[in-house]
Amino acid sequence: MRTDAIFCTFFSLVIAFTASCASQPSPRKPIGKFETSIKAGDIRLFSYSQPLFREKARPITARNRQEDGTGKPREDSESQLKRTLRDLELDPRLKEYCPAGYVVIDQYAVLNDVVIRGECRYGKEQAAN
């Protein structure tokens, strides 16, 4: 009878452990395209882009307009730039490529992409070289 109690306790712990591991959020998969380039003098540049969201064209009706009556798209280029910048900051590839941080050189929404270009900040040991 004692072995049954030990087995049940062990089995309960295994179930609890697997349930706690399964409930933890999985690492977020990077969304955008991350391209890097290293120039002379170890200047580390990067470019991050995501597809630009555009609403499908549809007939103009009172139901399709927003509540303010403007009929503007739900997310304009400026808000998409902000969202892309937030996604870039959460991207593990950026943290690995620029461990000391980064500076945004340029950001724009053009054609079908939102693009952020930047340069890595340099740590004290890199500046001494």
Side-chain angles (χ1 to χ4, degrees), residues 27-38 44-51 83-102 114 116 118-121:
R28 187 173 168 193
K29 183 181 177 188
I31 298 172
K33 183 177 177 184
F34 188 75
E35 298 174 331
T36 62
S37 98
I38 299 175
R44 300 169 70 92
L45 304 173
F46 66 88
S47 175
Y48 182 79
S49 61
Q50 287 183 352
R83 180 176 43 85
T84 303
L85 187 58
R86 186 187 71 236
D87 291 342
L88 172 64
E89 291 172 358
L90 296 174
D91 196 317
R93 298 173 294 184
L94 175 69
K95 293 175 184 172
E96 182 180 319
Y97 187 68
C98 299
Y102 67 96
V114 177
I116 297 174
E119 179 179 354
C120 295
R121 293 187 189 269

Side-chain angles (χ1 to χ4, degrees), residues 2-17:
R2 186 162 171 85
T3 57
D4 288 340
I6 293 172
F7 178 74
C8 287
T9 304
F10 178 73
F11 186 70
S12 299
L13 289 173
V14 169
I15 296 296
F17 179 72

Side-chain angles (χ1 to χ4, degrees), residues 50-108:
Q50 287 183 352
L52 181 64
F53 171 75
R54 298 201 188 269
E55 289 186 10
K56 293 181 181 178
R58 54 186 182 207
I60 298 173
T61 63
R63 189 171 45 143
N64 288 347
R65 292 188 176 269
Q66 289 183 331
E67 291 179 15
D68 62 359
T70 61
K72 292 182 182 176
R74 290 185 195 128
E75 188 175 30
D76 62 352
S77 298
E78 189 67 30
S79 60
Q80 288 188 40
L81 277 169
K82 288 178 185 176
R83 180 176 43 85
T84 303
L85 187 58
R86 186 187 71 236
D87 291 342
L88 172 64
E89 291 172 358
L90 296 174
D91 196 317
R93 298 173 294 184
L94 175 69
K95 293 175 184 172
E96 182 180 319
Y97 187 68
C98 299
Y102 67 96
V103 176
V104 173
I105 295 173
D106 197 9
Q107 58 183 0
Y108 53 89

